[in-house]
Amino acid sequence: MRDFSQDHSALALNTATLGHNLDGYGAGWSPERVIDACAARGYGGITFWRREIGGQAVQIGQAVRAAGLRVTGLCRTPLLVGPGAPDDVTGDFRASIEMAAGLGADSLTIVVGGVQEGTKGLGESLKIVRDTVARMADEAQSAGVMLGIEPLHPVYAGDRSCLVSVRDAVDMIEEIDHAAVGLDVDVYHVWWDRSLVDQLARLRADQIAGYHICDWLAETRDVLLDRGMMGDGVADLTAIRGAVEATGWRGFCEVEIFSKHWWSRPPEEVLDLCAARFRELC
Amino acid sequence: MRDFSQDHSALALNTATLGHNLDGYGAGWSPERVIDACAARGYGGITFWRREIGGQAVQIGQAVRAAGLRVTGLCRTPLLVGPGAPDDVTGDFRASIEMAAGLGADSLTIVVGGVQEGTKGLGESLKIVRDTVARMADEAQSAGVMLGIEPLHPVYAGDRSCLVSVRDAVDMIEEIDHAAVGLDVDVYHVWWDRSLVDQLARLRADQIAGYHICDWLAETRDVLLDRGMMGDGVADLTAIRGAVEATGWRGFCEVEIFSKHWWSRPPEEVLDLCAARFRELC
């Protein structure tokens, strides 16, 4: 495993950590200010959300690279299935690929959506997801964007993600079998899964599209907005990264903390603490 | 699979469904009134919680049997590990076995507890659980009580149950390898698990200690108290019971719905609806 104790250039910021869905960032920051703050602190990359980019994808991508960072990712495609999926999944999926390409983002995260109305269990919904991702994979590849299928925590299975285990995600990746389709591993969603090592061993390094860090607070008060800072919870961060790196993967570790608590803190403090905890614990 | 459409004598009530942890039941009912209401409606069994029993285990057990029902279970042992475990786990575990024996309950549910303080991940905590259950199994067997290890939904992994997958539970049952130790399968906790069929196939019928039914609402508002009535959610109840019955098991199906909504309804209405939905959908 890599040693980050003296170097956090492998750390990327997911802008959700600064409260991307408040009015502006937590303190009204622009993307440009986030880029400057990350560059000043030695971060290696930034992952944005579509709502922050608007028509400025090319400019923002250039600004990131001019600051010496990478655009590690873009969140996200539309939900592909279930009550939250838009009428025109294909059109919105294509728009997200185009934005990711404009940014020069390494990957585009897919949150797949919940249970298709009129069905029970996860099976039918997963088939719809698989077929949709397979249909869009060539376009992503042509755009130079890796699609990252992200299994969410099983608490979201009803309405946000019928894909809730690494096993199901790896099954899907094998079924689609496309160079532009890989896996996003997020500590929050998978920390409880004792089959993680075995399931990740089924993948090559180039099938890991992203690795997201935070922590699971032992007493989680809100499953959406109470993620923990690394070290404040019960996830075994070393073991999880070890399982991901056992594939040979050596990519960015992207900190993504949805938290009312951290969103109420000054962004500078959050960025500093993320970097310190990353060096110490991740 | 059994056909319940004309006969719900395999239906048992878990008293939590009537709001056991409000003041009295939802409408202040005594255990005796619950027994009468279940008998009048053709239920086959009742599972109680310790707080309802006090020093009346033998009398309540006799009353259940006099009404033509079984005491299908007792909830529950203390948490065995983590911050919620009592100082004297062994003593309280023994007290729960004795109460189950006094009731003449078929099984005693184990909710194992969360992550042991000072550890990360689930592994160390699971070892403590395994060793504790193994140590108490002979006493349970002598008392005629089956211990039901219940994996909870992964959302509870931090503070309530380091055991969150059927795979881990079956692993533990195999490691303990004792005739008095089996599995509780609860729809709420396992409905999302696509490995259910494969994992349950590792068990014999006499290793199924309990089967609990409810539903997972697509938009679950509260992970503790917003369980759904059968048919109102997205769990594939037929497939799940099919997986349990594939072991050869033919026991009671115990309805257990923790729900602020249903607790606010008259108990008679809830009991009638559970029976109707069971015949129609389960």
Side-chain angles (χ1 to χ4, degrees):
Chain A
M1 283 179 64
R2 291 173 288 176
D3 174 11
F4 297 134
S5 63
Q6 307 300 318
D7 175 10
H8 62 270
S9 61
L11 177 62
L13 175 75
N14 184 303
T15 59
T17 306
L18 302 185
H20 71 120
N21 65 355
L22 304 176
D23 291 335
Y25 294 96
W29 286 19
S30 65
E32 290 72 20
R33 188 160 175 193
V34 173
I35 294 166
D36 290 345
C38 286
R41 286 169 175 77
Y43 280 61
I46 304 177
T47 289
F48 294 97
W49 287 68
R50 285 168 73 186
R51 70 191 70 174
E52 308 157 38
I53 304 301
Q56 304 298 309
V58 173
Q59 295 90 325
I60 291 173
Q62 287 171 341
V64 170
R65 285 181 289 280
L69 286 79
R70 292 181 73 93
V71 181
T72 39
L74 178 66
C75 297
R76 56 179 174 71
T77 65
L79 303 183
L80 309 183
V81 69
D87 291 337
D88 180 15
V89 166
T90 299
D92 196 50
F93 201 142
R94 183 169 292 138
S96 67
I97 291 173
E98 289 170 357
M99 183 182 285
L103 281 166
D106 295 327
S107 73
L108 172 64
T109 292
I110 302 175
V111 173
V112 303
V115 176
Q116 181 74 351
E117 289 176 290
T119 73
K120 299 286 186 180
L122 304 178
E124 292 305 311
S125 306
L126 285 168
K127 286 179 191 166
I128 295 169
V129 170
R130 180 197 62 198
D131 294 347
T132 304
V133 175
R135 193 173 70 238
M136 301 300 290
D138 281 345
E139 289 189 38
Q141 188 170 33
S142 299
V145 173
M146 179 88 170
L147 300 175
I149 297 176
E150 181 165 6
L152 299 196
H153 192 286
V155 75
Y156 302 121
D159 55 352
R160 288 172 186 257
S161 179
C162 60
L163 187 72
V164 291
S165 77
V166 175
R167 189 183 94 137
D168 289 347
V170 176
D171 284 351
M172 188 179 289
I173 289 165
E174 288 185 347
E175 288 169 18
I176 295 172
D177 189 23
H178 193 291
V181 178
L183 179 71
D184 273 359
V185 179
D186 187 309
V187 164
Y188 189 80
H189 299 306
V190 308
W191 76 276
W192 57 270
D193 186 348
R194 306 244 306 151
S195 75
L196 195 62
V197 170
D198 291 346
Q199 294 302 327
L200 291 178
R202 298 166 58 194
L203 296 178
R204 302 184 309 270
D206 64 1
Q207 292 176 303
I208 303 294
Y211 175 53
H212 307 163
I213 57 175
C214 68
D215 210 335
W216 180 275
L217 300 178
E219 294 188 20
T220 294
R221 294 197 185 93
D222 175 335
V223 296
L224 282 174
L225 300 180
D226 193 25
R227 296 194 187 194
M229 176 66 65
M230 295 79 77
D232 289 349
V234 291
D236 189 340
L237 294 165
T238 309
I240 297 169
R241 181 162 66 86
V244 181
E245 292 202 358
T247 64
W249 169 88
R250 296 292 182 271
F252 286 91
C253 303
E254 177 185 316
V255 59
E256 184 181 26
I257 305 177
F258 292 82
S259 161
K260 286 181 187 168
H261 170 70
W262 293 111
W263 291 354
S264 75
R265 304 299 308 166
E268 296 89 343
E269 174 193 329
V270 175
L271 289 169
D272 287 339
L273 187 59
C274 286
R277 293 288 180 88
F278 180 71
R279 286 186 172 222
E280 183 186 356
L281 296 166
C282 295
Chain B
M1 285 179 62
R2 292 173 287 177
D3 175 10
F4 298 134
S5 63
Q6 307 300 317
D7 175 11
H8 62 271
S9 61
L11 178 62
L13 175 75
N14 184 303
T15 58
T17 306
L18 302 186
H20 70 119
N21 65 355
L22 304 177
D23 292 334
Y25 294 95
W29 285 18
S30 65
E32 291 71 20
R33 188 158 176 195
V34 174
I35 294 167
D36 290 346
C38 286
R41 286 169 176 78
Y43 280 62
I46 304 177
T47 289
F48 294 98
W49 288 68
R50 285 167 72 185
R51 70 192 70 174
E52 307 158 37
I53 303 301
Q56 306 297 308
V58 173
Q59 295 89 326
I60 291 173
Q62 287 172 341
V64 170
R65 285 180 290 279
L69 287 78
R70 293 181 71 93
V71 182
T72 38
L74 177 67
C75 298
R76 57 177 173 74
T77 65
L79 303 184
L80 309 183
V81 70
D87 291 335
D88 181 15
V89 166
T90 300
D92 196 50
F93 201 142
R94 182 168 292 137
S96 68
I97 291 173
E98 288 169 356
M99 183 183 282
L103 281 165
D106 294 328
S107 72
L108 172 64
T109 291
I110 302 175
V111 174
V112 304
V115 176
Q116 182 73 351
E117 288 175 290
T119 74
K120 299 286 185 180
L122 304 178
E124 293 304 311
S125 306
L126 286 168
K127 286 179 191 166
I128 295 170
V129 169
R130 179 197 63 196
D131 294 346
T132 305
V133 175
R135 192 172 72 237
M136 301 300 290
D138 281 346
E139 289 189 38
Q141 188 169 34
S142 298
V145 174
M146 180 88 168
L147 299 175
I149 295 175
E150 182 165 4
L152 300 197
H153 192 285
V155 75
Y156 302 121
D159 55 353
R160 289 171 185 257
S161 179
C162 60
L163 187 74
V164 291
S165 78
V166 174
R167 188 184 96 137
D168 289 347
V170 176
D171 284 351
M172 188 179 289
I173 289 165
E174 288 185 348
E175 288 169 19
I176 296 173
D177 189 25
H178 193 291
V181 178
L183 179 71
D184 274 358
V185 178
D186 187 309
V187 164
Y188 189 80
H189 298 305
V190 309
W191 76 276
W192 57 271
D193 186 347
R194 306 245 304 151
S195 74
L196 196 62
V197 169
D198 291 344
Q199 294 302 327
L200 291 177
R202 298 166 58 194
L203 296 177
R204 302 184 308 270
D206 64 2
Q207 292 176 303
I208 304 293
Y211 175 55
H212 308 164
I213 57 175
C214 65
D215 210 335
W216 179 277
L217 300 178
E219 295 188 19
T220 293
R221 293 197 187 94
D222 174 336
V223 295
L224 282 174
L225 300 180
D226 193 25
R227 296 193 188 194
M229 176 66 65
M230 294 81 75
D232 289 348
V234 291
D236 189 340
L237 294 165
T238 309
I240 298 170
R241 181 161 67 86
V244 181
E245 292 202 356
T247 65
W249 169 87
R250 295 293 182 271
F252 286 91
C253 304
E254 178 185 316
V255 60
E256 184 181 26
I257 305 176
F258 291 82
S259 162
K260 285 180 186 169
H261 170 71
W262 292 111
W263 291 354
S264 74
R265 304 298 308 167
E268 297 89 343
E269 173 192 330
V270 175
L271 289 169
D272 287 339
L273 187 59
C274 286
R277 292 288 180 89
F278 180 71
R279 286 187 172 221
E280 184 184 356
L281 297 167
C282 296

